[in-house]
Amino acid sequence: MTMHLTDVLAIVSALAGGYLAGRLRPWRRLADWAVDQIRFAGPWVRGGRGRQATVVLAHMLTAPRTSLRAPAATGPEPAPVRDPDRAAHRAPTHTDQGEPT
């Protein structure tokens, strides 16, 4: 069993392609692009249905969990309710006890 020149070239090109894909990170770049397009809803909203479908598909492929959770989000979370008289309602601590007599 001998290796032919085409086998060696195929192995070397596969290794080089894997190395370049690892360095260039095309999947990560696609994910970052899709998130940027969705987060900063500027030109992609005005780009038409084809562009919107491309962005949504890219986001679904690169971040499926986030994409499936996004429709469940109905809007911004409500602001926490603040107690206007917080000092009167807080639990006493050891420094609030005063000096022992």
Side-chain angles (χ1 to χ4, degrees), residues 40-75:
F40 307 112
W44 84 274
V45 173
R46 297 183 297 271
R49 290 188 176 155
R51 184 174 166 103
Q52 291 176 4
T54 302
V55 170
V56 170
L57 179 64
H59 195 264
M60 286 287 292
L61 289 174
T62 57
R65 288 186 202 163
T66 305
S67 297
L68 293 175
R69 274 186 272 165
T74 57

Side-chain angles (χ1 to χ4, degrees), residues 7 24 28 32 36 50 64-65 71-72 75 99:
D7 295 337
L24 297 176
R28 181 61 181 231
D32 291 344
D36 287 344
R65 288 186 202 163
E99 291 292 322

